[in-house]
C-alpha cells in the first residue's frame, strides 16, 4: 500500500470483518492500521511498498501456529469488546437474531 493522508487516518472495513472471524491482520505501516494492530496485538505491520517486509511477516505467521492462535483470539476479543457496537447497529443485530430463530 502506498501511504497517504487517507490511509494514515482511516480503517478499511475489511479489517473489522477479518477481526470478527479471528484472522490475524497484516497491514502496512500507515498510522491508523499500525496503531490498531500493535495496540491490540492482533497481527503484524510491514513497511509500505516493501515486498520483502510483507513476505517476512507472512512467513512469521505461517511458521508459528501458536502465535496465529493467540492473535486470532485477540482479534475476536478486540472486535467484540471495542468495535462490535460501533460496526453493527442494533437493528441489524435484532434482524439477525430474529432470523436465527428460524434455523
Amino acid at each position: 500500500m502506498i501511504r497517504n493522508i487517507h490511509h494514515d487516518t482511516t480503517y478499511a472495513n475489511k479489517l473489522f470483518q477479518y477481526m470478527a472471524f479471528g484472522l490475524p491482520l497484516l497491514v502496512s505501516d500507515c498510522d491508523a492500521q499500525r496503531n490498531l494492530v500493535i495496540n491490540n496485538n492482533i497481527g503484524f505491520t510491514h513497511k509500505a511498498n516493501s515486498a520483502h517486509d510483507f513476505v517476512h511477516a507472512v512467513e512469521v505467521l505461517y511458521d508459528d501456529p501458536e502465535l496465529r492462535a493467540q492473535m486470532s483470539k485477540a482479534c475476536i476479543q478486540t472486535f467484540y469488546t471495542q468495535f462490535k457496537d460501533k460496526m453493527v447497529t442494533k437493528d441489524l443485530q435484532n434482524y439477525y437474531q430474529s432470523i436465527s430463530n428460524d434455523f
Side-chain angles (χ1 to χ4, degrees):
M1 174 182 295
I2 298 172
R3 287 190 69 173
N4 60 44
I5 190 69
H6 177 73
H7 292 139
D8 276 341
T9 58
T10 61
Y11 301 111
N13 289 336
K14 63 186 169 190
L15 296 179
F16 300 104
Q17 294 165 342
Y18 297 159
M19 289 169 58
F21 286 112
L23 300 173
L25 304 180
L26 178 53
V27 300
S28 71
D29 58 356
C30 295
D31 293 338
Q33 289 90 341
R34 181 189 66 230
N35 292 337
L36 174 69
V37 167
I38 290 173
N39 292 340
N40 296 290
N41 195 31
I42 57 175
F44 287 109
T45 63
H46 65 87
K47 184 171 174 57
N49 299 326
S50 173
H52 179 267
D53 216 31
F54 175 84
V55 168
H56 175 71
V58 169
E59 288 173 339
V60 171
L61 279 172
Y62 180 82
D63 290 338
D64 194 337
E66 186 174 314
L67 178 62
R68 283 195 318 270
Q70 291 169 356
M71 288 182 170
S72 176
K73 184 176 178 181
C75 282
I76 293 168
Q77 181 179 7
T78 300
F79 176 78
Y80 283 97
T81 60
Q82 295 183 36
F83 297 106
K84 181 181 74 89
D85 290 338
K86 296 174 188 174
M87 303 300 291
V88 182
T89 67
K90 286 292 181 194
D91 289 339
L92 187 57
Q93 289 179 29
N94 291 338
Y95 173 73
Y96 284 143
Q97 186 63 43
S98 72
I99 65 170
S100 71
N101 294 330
D102 295 337
F103 295 105

